[in-house]
Amino acid sequence: MNYILSWQDSAHNTGGVKAKKDAEFFLNEEGFISIKIPVGKMQKLLYIMFKLPFILMKIKSGVIVVQFPTGTWTVLELITRCIKKLSGAKLVYIIHDIETLRYWSESDNNRKKEIELRLLKRADGIISLNAKMTEWLRSKGVKAPIENMRIWDYNNPQSARKMEEYNRTVGLAGNLDKVQFLKKIPSDINIYIYGPNKESNYPDNVKYVGNFSPDLLPLKIKESFGLVWDGDEINTCSGPLGNYLKYNNPHKLSMYLSSGIPVVIWSKAATAEFVKNARVGILIDDLNNLNTKLNNISEDEYKIMCSNAVNLSKKMRKGYFLKTALQNLIKQL
C-alpha cells in the first residue's frame, strides 16, 4: 500500500492550499491512503508525537508521500524522522516550495538554508516542479531519484471556457500584495485583477474584480489571457519573488490553463518553455511591450492557443502530470 500525509492548512482562497488538496485528491484516485493529521496546533502535535508512530510501525512497504514543506521545520523534522525510522516505506516528497529559493535567496541566514537542505536530502525520492528546480537540487548535493512534474495539475470543477472574441485584455489572479508592478503598468494595457490583499489605489487601467475561491475563480475570469508575472518592476521579473519564477511552477498558470485560458508569461520563467512547446501562450521579456505583442496575435492564432489550452486542461483535470511523474519515480525506488 502507498500513503500520503494529509495536512490541514488553515488558510483559505490561496493557491498553495488548493495545490496540496488537489495533489492529495489525485493520489487518492491512484489508491494512495491518506494519513489525516487533525486540525489545530495542539491536536497536530499530540497526533504526531503519540499516534503517528504507531501508524507508521504498521507500514512495512510502499511509499509515504509528504508534501514539502509541511508545517514548521521542527514538525517536518519529526514527521520525516519517524517515517524513516519506524516504517518500512520509502519517503517521497512532492515539492511545492523551496524557501531558500523563494524567500532566502538574498539572505545570509545559512542556518535556515541548511535545515531545509538537510530535510530535502532525507527523501528517498522527489517529485520536483521542473528541470530548473531539479538542476538546483542536484547542485546542492541531493542524490535521490527525482522526477519533474513540469506543471501543476488542477482539479477544476468549472467547464473549460469556450472560445470568445479576442479582445486583447489580460487578467491577473493571485495574492495582490505580492504584485507591486501593478502600480507601474503602462496606461495602454487593460488589466483585470483577482485575489486577496488589494491595494487602496491602482492606476485607472487596473481594475479590481474581486476575491474568489480557487474553485470559483475560473468561472470569473473573462479576459483573453492570464498573466504570470512577479516582482516590483515591469521591464523584468525582479527581486526574490521575480527570481523565484526561474524555479517555480506558479499555481495561477495551472488555474488559467486548466480553464482553457491562454497565458502571457515572463520569458525567463521555468515554465516558459512548457508554455512555448504546448503553444498555449505568449512569452514576454518586458511588460512595456505587452500591447505590441497582443496586437500582433491574430484571431486565428488566438483560436489555436485556446484550443491547445482546452486540450491541455483535460490532462490537468485528471492529474496527468503528477500521476505520471509519481509512477515513473516509484519504478526507481
Side-chain angles (χ1 to χ4, degrees), residues 126 133-147 332:
I126 291 175
M133 181 173 279
T134 297
E135 186 179 318
W136 182 87
L137 288 166
R138 292 300 190 209
S139 75
K140 297 299 179 182
V142 176
K143 300 188 183 303
I146 300 175
E147 284 290 324
Q332 303 173 56

Side-chain angles (χ1 to χ4, degrees), residues 55-247:
I55 293 172
L56 294 175
M57 283 190 285
K58 295 177 183 178
I59 298 174
K60 305 300 182 184
S61 60
V63 305
I64 299 176
V65 171
V66 175
Q67 305 202 58
F68 188 99
T70 287
T72 64
W73 292 134
T74 303
V75 164
L76 192 54
E77 173 80 33
L78 185 58
I79 289 171
T80 54
R81 190 180 290 272
C82 284
I83 290 172
K84 296 285 286 186
K85 286 194 170 184
L86 300 179
S87 81
K90 301 290 187 181
L91 170 63
V92 169
Y93 289 143
I94 298 173
I95 293 183
H96 287 257
D97 286 299
I98 294 180
E99 306 297 9
T100 299
L101 292 172
R102 179 162 66 158
Y103 292 130
W104 308 331
S105 59
E106 299 175 2
S107 169
D108 294 328
N109 193 332
N110 290 323
R111 182 176 174 275
K112 286 183 177 180
K113 295 178 184 179
E114 288 167 2
I115 292 171
E116 184 173 48
L117 187 57
R118 184 179 74 236
L119 287 165
L120 286 166
K121 289 180 176 179
R122 185 168 291 167
D124 297 300
I126 291 175
I127 302 295
S128 172
L129 297 184
N130 53 64
K132 294 292 185 183
M133 181 173 279
T134 297
E135 186 179 318
W136 182 87
L137 288 166
R138 292 300 190 209
S139 75
K140 297 299 179 182
V142 176
K143 300 188 183 303
I146 300 175
E147 284 290 324
N148 299 325
M149 186 158 44
R150 299 169 63 203
I151 191 170
W152 281 113
D153 297 298
Y154 200 100
N155 182 23
N156 195 330
Q158 310 299 341
S159 298
R161 194 176 71 181
K162 294 180 181 179
M163 169 63 190
E164 298 178 12
E165 182 182 351
Y166 179 38
N167 58 20
R168 293 169 177 78
T169 54
V170 175
L172 172 70
N175 190 343
L176 298 176
D177 65 1
K178 295 181 180 180
V179 284
Q180 297 301 308
F181 71 87
L182 285 173
K183 297 173 183 176
K184 304 176 183 178
I185 207 81
S187 60
D188 61 347
I189 297 171
N190 291 315
I191 184 165
Y192 297 80
I193 60 175
Y194 305 77
N197 303 315
K198 74 180 184 75
E199 300 278 348
S200 55
N201 291 299
Y202 289 109
D204 290 342
N205 57 313
V206 177
K207 298 172 176 63
Y208 180 70
V209 182
N211 180 24
F212 306 99
S213 73
D215 287 337
L216 189 59
L217 184 58
L219 196 63
K220 298 294 182 179
I221 295 183
K222 305 296 184 184
E223 290 69 51
S224 297
F225 286 94
L227 178 62
V228 181
W229 193 271
D230 248 322
D232 300 338
E233 305 299 330
I234 58 171
N235 60 340
T236 189
C237 287
S238 62
L241 290 175
N243 184 68
Y244 192 44
L245 275 181
K246 294 178 180 178
Y247 303 96

Side-chain angles (χ1 to χ4, degrees), residues 10-21:
S10 57
H12 299 284
N13 287 8
T14 66
V17 173
K18 167 72 172 166
K20 287 188 175 181
K21 285 184 176 179

